[in-house]
Amino acid sequence: MPIYSGAKILVESLLRENVDVVFGYPGGKVIPLYDALFDAPIRHVLVRHEQGAAHAADGYARSTGKVGVCIATSGPGATNLVTGLATAYMDSIPIVAFTGQAPTSLLGTDSFQEVDIRGITIPITKHNYMVTNVKDLARVIKEAFYIAKSGRPGPVLIDLPVDVLKSNADFIYPEKIDLPGYQPTYEGNYLQIKLAAEEINNSLKPVIFAGGGVINSDASEELTTLAKKAKIPVTTSLMGLGSFPENDELSLGMLGMHGTKYANYAISEADLIIGIGVRFDDRVTGKIETFAPNAKIIHIDIDPAEINKNVKVNVPIVGNAKNVLKKLIPLVKQIERNEWLETIRDWKKKYPLYYEKDTSNIKPQYLIEKIKELTNENTIIVTEVGQHQMWAAQYFKYTKPRTFITSGGLGTMGFGLPASVGVQIGNPDKLVVTISGDGSFQMNLQELATIKNNNLPIKIIILNNGTLGMVRQWQELFFNERYSSTILTNPDFVKLAEAYGIVSMRVKDPKDLDISLKKIFEYSGPVLLDVIIPQDENVFPMVPEGGSLKKMLDLKTLIKQVEY
Amino acid sequence: MRHILSVTVSNQPAVLARISGLFSRRNFNILSLNVGETDKPEFSRMTIVVEGNDDTIEQVKKQLYKLIDVIKITDLNQTNMVERDMALIKVNCNKNQRSQVIQVVDVFRGKIVDFSIETVTVEVTGDENKITAFIEILKDFGIKEIVRTGIIALDRELSVS
């Protein structure tokens, strides 16, 4: 039995968990760990801000399905992880974060760079630890990885006093986990599944509402089988984009505030909603009293606390989406549902996603469609947060899971650029495109250095409208066009990228757009394209916050009653 | 409605912070919370009194169960449990009032645990109502200070009537 330092135990434990890459930023309290990493067969990606490390680990996890790992030092290093952890927590993404901590002898004395990161991160992690005895370290790491990826995934933080990293212990990596209070339910109750099948078989106007849980549990194939067998139209949450091919005739695209009209109409008219791995977030339901007023609800989710939390559920099924769907599929009948599908086809024809064509400006919607046209189905789109994110959600048409990486629940500006670092490292052979706004790009643009240093061939496209677009849109629509603090004075992004050694160009004229895009996709290294788009372009359709899904603002009529 | 939750948790640092933090973050109304070690030192038992409608209590329980350190939750309904609250009450008591105070304490099966020239401190245990009633009566003498533990409770074995 080898005797190792805490730092060495940590590295060996990571190897047992098949970790081959970690994202981090060194500091005083984690020097022993960095020393152990120096000659370990683990790639360390040096970011330029700890928030970037957390987002990169998150992007890595979202795009690969593996656990992302990040490292920060104590105090400010640890607190800089907070936004990244909260982002991962809200979207149920498995991350294990290690933070350095003051030595145990100084804990609680306000010593240099000491902060109670365990206390700070309790509400934004699935679980967290402080290891005060090196003998516990291997067990804690084993538990942390297990907790992060099992059940409803989420971030786990391990706080490590520096003396624990330095002191020695026998290295035994435990085989078993003993967590009596943590027993996730993977298999749905069969009687409930039968009940769900009956409801589906008796339903005339069912709609599947699929979310991030389908992607987390790799259940896209089963979802598609179910939808096609029982001819059920599928709408997704933002997090669920890619879980069902959007080029399929059964696809309704995204639901909710910026969802398609036909998805929102279908939900409003449905007699049965089959929610799979979704949490019925307020951005999706609008005013809860008017959500799916005629529908019974089947809710499949691995987290029992999600059931009946936001909407009243008729058939609750707690379990892993993939397992539940596998059992459900043989029980549902092949039904044609011609009438319902015809209604939906009509809506799609009458109320397509729509924007006004313009030859003098680059329309962001057109830009997204063009990116789709010039890339293949394995391309991974990563976004920041704001208008560009919604256009990327509406107009790209995702056909595969894990190809749309975005901060959904927390809506974290500054997520996209660092997340794309993790995505590209996890998917070295895939084309990674970061779609960004000029506002959110500036929140973590220092990660351009990480991209350059690792020569990650990420295509960064800034939809530059010189404003905080989504806030500006709300101000226009709901605050009498009083643009308080939303008009930005930006740096020259092309020069900025060049300062980081990244090839860059700007495009303003629609005539030049196609060629610019082709150029960046053909280029083998990292590249930034600054696209000037009109300042007053809005995201439509839009359900005002707290409104009914039936009443959407759109371009032509602004407030339009449902017309089906 | 008031619910008494008996929650078995791992006896670990920060567990109390996790539980109380969950209540405040999720906007659940906590009336009292009590923690102590169980017969097994690796576990503690928390008695949490929460107020809310059925939906809220369902969420409270489900959210609590999500915490890795929570082992078991029992929702003790009012008719099938043993419930105790304890109070220490320091009450004004000069020479002339002594016999009266002692009588009241006797009736409520309290215990005098400290005595001074001007005050006595009384210990009383019982369910919440009894203690509230006792405090009401002592108010006539003038209460100087009160401390209450909040409720601790256990499921009543069905065989015992």
Side-chain angles (χ1 to χ4, degrees):
Chain A
M1 194 182 306
I3 294 177
Y4 288 158
S5 71
K8 173 90 170 151
I9 289 175
L10 198 161
V11 167
E12 288 297 321
S13 303
L14 290 181
L15 291 172
R16 302 296 165 100
E17 294 294 334
N18 297 319
V19 172
D20 49 17
V21 58
V22 296
F23 304 88
Y25 200 97
K29 303 295 184 350
V30 283
I31 294 175
L33 174 55
Y34 273 83
D35 189 62
L37 280 171
F38 193 63
D39 41 26
I42 294 175
R43 177 176 180 186
H44 178 270
V45 177
L46 173 66
V47 293
R48 292 300 183 276
H49 185 295
E50 290 86 350
Q51 189 185 340
H55 290 323
D58 180 323
Y60 177 86
R62 287 179 203 241
S63 59
T64 62
K66 297 191 239 173
V67 177
V69 179
C70 58
I71 300 170
T73 194
S74 66
T79 53
N80 280 345
L81 290 180
V82 164
T83 304
L85 292 170
T87 304
Y89 183 68
M90 287 291 272
D91 289 343
S92 308
I93 306 303
I95 289 183
V96 173
F98 294 94
T99 48
Q101 180 57 279
T104 45
S105 58
L106 291 181
L107 283 176
T109 64
D110 302 320
S111 57
F112 179 65
Q113 293 196 329
E114 181 193 356
V115 76
D116 173 19
I117 195 63
R118 180 173 54 180
I120 290 170
T121 58
I122 282 176
I124 51 163
T125 50
K126 186 172 170 187
H127 194 56
N128 61 14
Y129 294 90
M130 179 195 268
V131 181
T132 49
N133 186 334
V134 67
K135 287 181 186 153
D136 297 329
L137 184 56
R139 171 184 60 80
V140 164
I141 295 173
K142 172 101 178 170
E143 284 178 12
F145 274 85
Y146 174 67
I147 291 169
K149 67 189 168 196
S150 60
R152 179 178 181 168
V156 178
L157 180 136
I158 303 175
D159 198 24
L160 299 161
V162 62
D163 54 319
V164 172
L165 289 175
K166 288 195 230 168
S167 46
N168 296 319
D170 292 331
F171 177 64
I172 314 161
Y173 204 62
E175 305 238 313
K176 279 189 185 158
I177 298 229
D178 179 27
L179 291 167
Y182 180 65
Q183 315 279 347
T185 308
Y186 288 100
E187 302 298 329
N189 178 299
Y190 192 65
L191 290 176
Q192 291 295 99
I193 294 174
K194 266 172 75 178
L195 209 61
E198 267 171 47
E199 292 290 355
I200 293 171
N201 293 337
N202 293 331
S203 151
L204 296 173
K205 295 188 277 187
V207 174
I208 291 174
F209 171 30
V214 175
I215 294 172
N216 272 344
S217 64
D218 291 322
S220 288
E221 208 183 307
E222 288 75 13
L223 167 67
T224 308
T225 308
L226 172 70
K228 290 193 176 223
K229 180 177 182 189
K231 291 279 186 296
I232 310 173
V234 181
T235 181
T236 74
S237 66
L238 182 72
M239 291 299 298
L241 284 173
S243 63
F244 186 79
E246 290 194 277
N247 54 3
D248 192 285
E249 60 162 356
L250 289 170
S251 170
L252 295 167
M254 188 171 71
L255 180 71
M257 182 175 276
H258 292 298
T260 63
K261 283 193 164 187
Y262 36 93
N264 286 344
Y265 289 169
I267 282 282
S268 303
E269 182 77 351
D271 64 359
L272 181 69
I273 310 285
I274 306 145
I276 311 173
V278 283
R279 57 191 181 89
F280 295 93
D281 175 75
D282 57 277
R283 280 290 183 273
V284 153
T285 61
K287 190 178 178 188
I288 208 89
E289 293 79 17
T290 59
F291 178 75
N294 312 312
K296 287 188 176 175
I297 296 182
I298 297 169
H299 191 181
I300 302 165
D301 204 289
I302 194 142
D303 180 0
E306 285 307 331
I307 291 180
N308 283 330
K309 188 179 84 177
N310 296 334
V311 295
K312 280 275 156 216
V313 173
N314 302 83
V315 186
I317 303 174
V318 176
N320 167 285
K322 191 182 184 83
N323 295 346
V324 172
L325 289 180
K326 272 187 180 163
K327 288 184 194 156
L328 180 64
I329 290 164
L331 303 175
V332 299
K333 291 184 189 151
Q334 280 181 305
I335 304 174
E336 286 310 313
R337 305 189 207 276
N338 287 328
E339 211 173 312
W340 179 224
L341 296 185
E342 191 52 45
T343 310
I344 284 168
R345 266 193 292 273
D346 269 4
W347 282 333
K348 281 186 169 180
K349 240 182 257 162
K350 258 166 108 177
Y351 312 111
L353 279 175
Y354 168 82
Y355 62 93
E356 276 170 354
K357 305 282 186 287
D358 184 351
T359 48
S360 54
N361 287 304
I362 296 175
K363 286 285 187 171
Q365 303 90 337
Y366 173 80
L367 168 64
I368 304 289
E369 287 176 336
K370 207 69 206 170
I371 296 170
K372 172 72 182 177
E373 200 185 303
L374 295 173
T375 58
N376 66 32
E377 58 175 9
N378 291 319
T379 303
I380 305 180
I381 300 291
V382 187
T383 77
E384 298 283 352
V385 166
Q387 285 184 317
H388 67 276
Q389 177 192 30
M390 289 300 122
W391 287 315
Q394 292 175 328
Y395 287 91
F396 191 84
K397 310 295 175 202
Y398 301 88
T399 54
K400 284 190 168 180
R402 303 190 190 278
T403 57
F404 180 61
I405 308 293
T406 200
S407 162
L410 198 68
T412 307
M413 289 173 73
F415 168 81
L417 194 68
S420 66
V421 168
V423 172
Q424 186 75 78
I425 283 171
N427 301 270
D429 301 330
K430 289 186 181 164
L431 175 64
V432 176
V433 182
T434 303
I435 296 175
S436 182
D438 48 312
S440 42
F441 175 73
Q442 291 178 77
M443 281 208 177
N444 272 320
L445 65 82
Q446 74 285 350
E447 299 310 333
L448 287 174
T450 312
I451 290 171
K452 176 63 187 172
N453 286 170
N454 291 276
N455 197 27
L456 303 171
I458 299 166
K459 314 303 169 203
I460 305 155
I461 302 177
I462 300 178
L463 276 62
N464 187 348
N465 56 10
T467 81
L468 300 177
M470 192 58 96
V471 186
R472 196 215 66 90
Q473 173 169 342
W474 284 45
Q475 287 171 333
E476 178 189 329
L477 297 174
F478 312 119
F479 290 86
N480 298 322
E481 303 180 22
R482 288 153 55 86
Y483 300 120
S484 178
S485 296
T486 46
I487 310 302
L488 300 176
T489 307
N490 286 326
D492 181 331
F493 293 124
V494 173
K495 281 188 184 160
L496 187 91
E498 282 167 359
Y500 278 97
I502 290 178
V503 171
S504 181
M505 54 187 148
R506 177 172 298 116
V507 53
K508 193 174 181 180
D509 191 327
K511 287 200 296 289
D512 303 330
L513 180 67
D514 291 19
I515 188 76
S516 305
L517 284 174
K518 276 184 196 145
K519 266 190 200 162
I520 67 162
F521 292 136
E522 277 163 14
Y523 184 68
S524 58
V527 50
L528 183 147
L529 181 65
D530 183 27
V531 186
I532 309 300
I533 61 164
Q535 195 164 73
D536 57 358
E537 190 67 33
N538 288 335
V539 181
F540 289 119
M542 178 182 196
V543 179
E545 190 167 44
S548 155
L549 293 189
K550 288 186 189 177
K551 287 186 188 170
M552 282 167 277
L553 309 180
D554 77 4
L555 255 185
K556 292 173 189 160
T557 52
L558 225 53
I559 295 188
K560 191 163 187 169
Q561 298 292 324
V562 66
E563 279 183 17
Y564 57 80
Chain B
M1 182 165 163
R2 197 185 77 140
H3 280 246
I4 300 178
L5 303 180
S6 180
V7 185
T8 310
V9 300
S10 323
N11 192 0
Q12 298 272 349
V15 173
L16 180 59
R18 282 182 210 288
I19 303 244
S20 57
L22 186 147
F23 277 80
S24 64
R25 180 166 76 93
R26 299 247 173 217
N27 200 21
F28 300 140
N29 189 16
I30 193 165
L31 297 177
S32 87
L33 194 160
N34 232 296
V35 203
E37 220 175 81
T38 65
D39 54 322
K40 296 189 183 82
E42 67 267 32
F43 298 129
S44 296
R45 189 188 291 277
M46 295 191 178
T47 309
I48 308 173
V49 185
V50 221
E51 198 164 46
N53 59 29
D54 290 351
D55 289 347
T56 310
I57 301 298
E58 185 188 335
Q59 263 302 306
V60 170
K61 285 192 266 186
K62 284 174 167 177
Q63 293 295 344
L64 279 173
Y65 259 128
K66 281 176 72 167
L67 300 179
I68 310 289
D69 290 321
V70 170
I71 316 284
K72 192 175 176 223
I73 303 169
T74 316
D75 189 352
L76 301 170
N77 73 33
Q78 313 285 330
T79 56
N80 195 26
M81 63 166 180
V82 194
E83 167 193 340
R84 281 292 178 275
D85 190 353
M86 175 176 158
L88 290 175
I89 305 154
K90 195 185 287 170
V91 61
N92 286 328
C93 181
N94 56 33
K95 253 191 246 167
N96 306 331
Q97 293 170 311
R98 265 182 206 154
S99 61
Q100 261 180 299
V101 171
I102 289 168
Q103 257 178 15
V104 173
V105 171
D106 274 349
V107 170
F108 280 85
R109 290 189 210 141
K111 209 163 129 193
I112 291 174
V113 291
D114 188 37
F115 219 108
S116 73
I117 297 166
E118 290 298 324
T119 65
V120 289
T121 303
V122 186
E123 168 199 313
V124 65
T125 59
D127 64 22
E128 255 189 324
N129 290 339
K130 174 184 163 183
I131 292 177
T132 308
F134 185 51
I135 290 167
E136 276 305 306
I137 290 177
L138 290 184
K139 273 183 185 166
D140 286 348
F141 301 99
I143 292 173
K144 287 184 74 89
E145 273 184 298
I146 290 183
V147 58
R148 287 174 76 158
T149 59
I151 286 170
I152 55 167
L154 277 182
D155 222 352
R156 198 185 273 279
E157 287 296 325
L158 289 175
S159 55
V160 179
S161 63

